[in-house]
Structures are given as C-alpha cells and as structure tokens.
Amino acid sequence: MTASRRASGIISLVFLAAVLPPVLTVLGAGFTAADPSAWLAQAGSVLGRPSTWRSVRFSIVQAAVSAAISVLVAIPGAYLMAHYRFRGRQIIQSLTLVPFVMPSLIVILAVIGFYGRAGVLGRLFGGNLTFVYSGVGIVIAHTMFNISVALRIIAGGWMQVDERYRWVSASLGEGPPGRLFRLHLPLIAPSLVSAGILVFLYCFVSFGVVLVFGGVRFSTIEVRIFQEMFTNLNLTAAGVLAALQLAVAALLVGLVQFLTRRTGAGSARSGRRFHTRSWRDLPVPARVLAVVYGAAVGLFLFAPLLTVVVRAFTWHGGVGLTSFRSLFGGTVGTREVSEIMQSPLADILLTSLGVATMSAVAGSVLAYIAARSLRDQLPGSIDTVLTLPLAISGVTLSLGLRLLFFGIIPEILLIVLAQSIQAFPLVFRNMRGHMRALPSRYLETGRSLGARPLHLLWTVEIPVLWRGIINTFAFAFAVSLADFTSVLTIGRGRIVTFPIAMYRLIGFQSFDVALALGVLYMGFVGLIFFVVDTTSVQREGEGL
Amino acid sequence: MIELQDIRRDYGNFSLSADLQIHEHELLTLFGESGSGKTTVLRLIAGFETPDSGRILVDGHDITRLPPERREIGYVFQDYTLFPHLNVGQNIAYGLRVQKVPGTERTKRVRELLALTELDGFEDRSVSTLSGGEQQRVALARALAPSPKALLLDEPFSAIDTERRGSLRRHLLHIQRATGIPTVFVTHSRTEALYLSDRLIIMKDGAVVESGSPRDVYERPDSLYAARFTGSVNTFTCEQLLRLPQSWLDATPPDKTDGAHEAPVAVLRPEKLSFSGAAPAGTPGGCLEGTILHVGYFGSYCLYVVETEAGELDVQEEPGGTVGQAVQLCCPDGAIHLLA
C-alpha cells in the first residue's frame, strides 16, 4: 500500500468515525431492542403518511428548481470570470460569495424586505406582493445563496479546459454559438453537474429559509425532522425522516460521481493551457450584454441585501441610528432588546467570535492535514467520503451529536464539532486548491537537505502556503459565523450567536433591530472578505 | 497561395515582421529557436492573433480580419488537443459536422482519412487509449477532414519519442503529397526541417533570416546564423582563407583590409573534409596537413578536431583516427562557401 493510499484510508476512517455515529444515533433514535415491532409500526406509520411524501417531493422539487436556476444564471458569469480579465474581477468574485456566508436569516430578511408585502418591489410597482411567502420565496433565497457556489465551480471547470480546444474548433470552422453547444458545454459538463448537485444538496437540507418561507404548507424533510424532534418529541419519526433524507441525498451524490466519471473530465485537463484574455477582446455587443447580465445578477444578489442596510438606518420613516442604539441597551415596546435576544450584545459578539474562531481553527487544521496528506493524489473516492457532510443534514448531524454527547461534552464544543464537520467539504476543497502552490520538489529538496517533517512545516510549508492558510481560515470562520442550524439544535437557546439573536428579534417582530444586527454582521463579514480578497491568489481550475 | 504582406505584430518586448508566401502544394518549414516568432506566424495565419499592420491573403482574398472559423485553415498543435469528450471518429468528423456534411458522406470521409493516416478500425476508439503517434495522426486527420485551404502544423512531433518520429515524418510527407495541401510546418528540429521541407525559412528575433530549399540553405547559406543553425560548420576569416588551397573556395574571397578581417566570411561543413585517400574522386584540388587534437565518437562517424595552419577544423570522418595522428585533409573543389 502506498503512503498516499494509506493516508487516504486513515483520513477516511477518522472522518467516518466522526460523522457516522451521530448520524446512526439519529437514524436509530426511538428504537429499543426490547420492542422492535413497536418501532417498526411507528416507522411504517411515518412512511405511510402523505405529509411525509409531500415533504420529500417538495424537498426535491424546490432543490432541483433552485439548483437549475443557480446553474443557468451562473453559466454566463462563469464564462466571463474564467475567460476575461477586467478591472475589479477579483473583488466581484469575492463579493458574489457574500450572500453564501450570510446567515439564512439575513437573506430571509433581505428577500422579504425586497420582494415582500411592504418590500421595495411592492412599493415600486404598487400592489400587495405575496408571491414570496411560498415556494417562490424559498427558491429566490436559495438562488441568492448559491449562485456564487455555481459560479465558482463552473468557472473553475472552464479554467481547466485547454484553450487550444477553442482554437482547434475555430480552425475547423466552428463559430461561437456552435462552439458553446458542441465544445464548451460538453467539456464543462462535469462542472455543471457538480455545481448542480452541490447546490441541490444545500437546498435539499436547507433549514432556516424553509422554516420561515415555507410555513405550514411548504415543509422540507429537514424542517420535518426538527419539528418531530423538538415540537412533537417523536424520536422515531425524526430518525425515519433522517434516514429517508440521507437515502435520497446519497442516491444523488452517487449519481453525480457516476456521471462525472462517465463524462471523462480528466482527459480535458491533460496538458492544460489556459490564459485569460483582455476584456477588450470581447466584441462590443458582447460587452454590452455582459454588462447588462452583470448588472442584473448584481441587482438580484445585492439589492435585497442593500434593503437590509437601508432599513436598518431607518426608524419610523426617518433616517437614524435608533435601531443600532437599541442593540446597545434599548427597548422594543416594554422589553429590553438584550432580554429579547436573551443575551447582551457584547456576550453575543464574544460567543459568536469564540465559536467561529474555534470552528475555523479546528476546520482549517483538519483541512490542512487532509489536503497535505492527499496533495499528490487525484480526486477520487476519498473526495466522495469527504463530501459526505454535504449529504447529511445539519439538523441530523447536530441532533446526533447532542443525543450522543449531551452532558459529556460541553454544548459549545459540540457546536464547534458540528460546524467543523459541516464546513469540512468546502474548507478542504479550498485548502486543497491552495496546496498547488507547494510543489513536491520543494519538500523533496528540503528533505534531501536533512529537514524533518516538522522543520519543513515551519520553514517551507507555512511560509509558502500562508496566504492559503489565512484564506482557508477566513472562509471557515465566515461559514461558522453564519451557522444557525447547529447552534439552534445543539445549544437549544442557551448559546446565543448572531443568527440566534436575529431569530429571536424576528420572532418578537423587532425587524428593525434585527436588521441593525444584520448590518453589524455584514460589517464583520466584509472585514473577513477583505482578508479573503487580499490573501487570494488567482487560482485556476478551482471551485470553492 | 497564402501571402503575408508586410505583417507586423508588436508585443512590447518582442515584435514580429514577416513578408512571405506559401505556394500551392508546398510544404514550407519555419525553422528557428524558441521565441523566434515561428508560432506567431502560424497563429496569425490561423487567425488566433491579429496583426498590427499588413495583410494576409489566401488565394488573393484578404483574410486579415476574418475570424479563425471563417478562414478554412487547419491547425495541428504539438500535443494533439483531441477533444476528450469525442471518440476518434467523432473528432475527425467534428469539422464536417460544422459544415453540415450529410451523415453518409461524413462517414465516408472519416473512413478515407482513417485510411490515409493508417488508422483503419480506430473510429470508435476513445482518444485516451491512443499512443502519442496515433493521437497526432488523428489530429492531422481531423484538421484535413473539412478540406482546408492550408494546413498549419505547430511542432507536431515534439511530444513524440525519437524512434517514432521517423515514421510520422514519412506519414506526413505521404499525406501532404497525396493531398497537395499547402502546409506550414513549425519546428526547431534540424532533421525535420531538412527532411520535410520543399522550402525552408529560418527565423530569428521575429524576422526571416533566410529562405530557400533545404539543400540551398544548408550548402550555400547566406548568413553565418543560417549556416550554424542548420548544422555543424567550420568558419573562416579572410586571413584564414588565404592559407587554404584556393580551389576549395566557391568564389573569390573579398579583399578585407578594412579591419573587418576578423569576421567569418566563409563556411565549410565538416563532412566535406576527408582524410587523405578518402577524398571524393576527381576533386582533389589540394590538401592541407594537420594533426588530430580531439576525437568525438558518434557511432557511425567521428568528429575530429584537426589543427592546421589555417586553424582548427572540424572533420567528420569514419572512426579510426587517433589523437596526435598526422593527417592530410582533402576537400572537393568549391566546397567552401563564401557568405553573402
């Protein structure tokens, strides 16, 4: 067995050991060996309910529609990002990621504020717009979240395609439209499929968005698991639903792997040569179209978020900082804001940053170890294993950890564990991309000069990879900061982070104060993205 | 015919100027060091780059501003660039599909090209299962399929191992002769340049240094650069020439008394020299005495460095000579070529 295969094996085992027990705990919840027939009867009744299958159907449909729209909208942007140089390209690339790392509640507030009853669109066009309080609202919010994911993966796929294919095709008489359908799309098909499935999975296990927009009529399996566990206190039903959700998700991940391998993306990457072209190389009509497209997508992504900012600075029709002042010791009605949030702002800030820091440290270190061990290996089955958390719902994982370790491990550490596992696929991918900056010959040279592994780490690896390490850390930090599901499921209200505080303010109808908190949060994320942006190097052929 | 008329392309740190023609049925080789501008010429003809000034004409039609897809010029890259999502047959048929050639005709043409490139039966093979040479032949067939007006080959054999290059060269020559397609071949391999070309163009620093048939360029180069680039060469200053048998010269040397007598003015290929007794019959115009200083063994021949009164000379001869051995050097009349 080669060293890299051994490393794959060990990493897979460790990872499965962390992921499977909590999941199996939830799947088997309510099962007692003493009376298996009762469990079977209960499980059968859950599977027999029409509402179960309605939620399965709705989970699939909303996720499929969100994924299809995200991918379709992302294709032109990905093409431009992958092929052309223009001023602000890097900033735009970073900005598109902002909605992705926003807590679902901010995106929800943004969508309601823009498309909702008293929203900007309603005021512009008149009329009482209600379409957002349905599956449409869910799809809009999911698309906002995930366009950046699709954009990055597809652009990454395009950057892997040797540009000489385009030249050959042109020399054979193929014009731009034919080239798109006969050459580009088949060559980037694996990226399209990957992006589609990744977005599908995010939407399939989405929690907060569906909880708010879905109401009673539209609920996904994820929301049903949470309701069965905490509202109906039906462990068996929660377990059965979690198993059902996992089965559907696993089926889809398997399908992706199968399709990706069949399309033979690897050969497109051999001998790859890729150079971005100047923006001026685009014909003028195409430039105009690109600008229109960019403006439309920008409006779609940022106009709702801008609404959040504007409304946070608005109080009873006027401009002011009252919402912000309320956060620092004000009241809403008769109740103190800190009482509604169930924690003073300073504590929320401290808890949020503390949890996110711990999760980001744990996530980055784990990602570094895994990416470092697998650096010489091509993506393969190990990636399937490490992608597993994407197919496991946040509620299931968090619930499992809580059921397994409640009273043994402090809740805050369980949250850190849950966040690290959940964010791992993305954080690992990010770190793995940065690993390319460390060619084997650097390490081999160091070793031939007598450096031991730890010495190499300090003297070669970290100095070469520091940008990537900071970038990965910042990314993991942002993802953890936005986490709502694990904190709510494990903390059960005792641990208050930004998203939980916002959730409570919204529950108390204190929208303005919630928006002010959202703006503060965005400030934090802006700072993080400044770090991400300044530590980013133009990496080709990479997804998130 | 393809004409490049007064083409200029400036990249800031490199600029290219070219003025050349590629005739019907001709296989023209652009030969030069890396960075000499050979590939840029190809890319300009293909339309992957646009010149800053000048015109490119194909059969009298100006194609300078035409996009690559409307030029009808085939291009083959050094590492094949076969579309990975298509099999061999589909790769070859790609250009025919673009031209909307009907299915049966397309299949027929693909079969013809497979036969021409000796790849019969490979139609359904995945391109990833082919050897380098096979991939290159598929790339060639694909470029030829839409019957282009010209074929551009950018170092097509450089990714192929040395043993297989010989047969591929023969293949290419056979295909080019069979189709008669004007072809521009870019290479930095001396063997390929001399073996394949109807006409050879030597490029340096973005400009054409010399042009002519391989034999002319090799045996009667105009410039020292071309002489050196096409093979090993002995060079002579005016002063050295005076110490050689004058029958060896192909012309009267210039009278250099202006201080430029240090510059080489004439060249002689080492294989033209032979040790006494081995001189070509009928051309013993005179001999030169010398002593072997060094022997370089190359299998079928040795390269000797011989010290003579005209300086040290490289001599390509059969193995057998030893260091310190006294030799008499012979040379055919007119073998020393005076540079232009």
Side-chain angles (χ1 to χ4, degrees), chain A residues 106-134 136-138 140-141 144 212-213 303-305 307-308 311 511:
Chain A
I106 291 187
V107 174
I108 290 162
L109 286 175
V111 170
I112 291 175
F114 195 75
Y115 301 97
R117 270 187 202 101
V120 175
L121 275 193
R123 266 179 271 161
L124 273 179
F125 298 107
N128 189 13
L129 300 181
T130 55
F131 69 90
V132 81
Y133 307 98
S134 64
V136 178
I138 293 172
I140 290 176
M144 267 182 78
V212 174
F213 285 120
L305 289 174
T307 313
V308 171
R311 285 190 61 178
F511 290 113

Side-chain angles (χ1 to χ4, degrees), chain B residues 244-265:
Chain B
L244 292 168
Q246 294 304 296
S247 62
W248 289 12
L249 276 62
D250 69 349
T252 312
D255 183 21
K256 296 269 181 168
T257 51
D258 54 358
H261 59 281
E262 289 300 319
V265 292

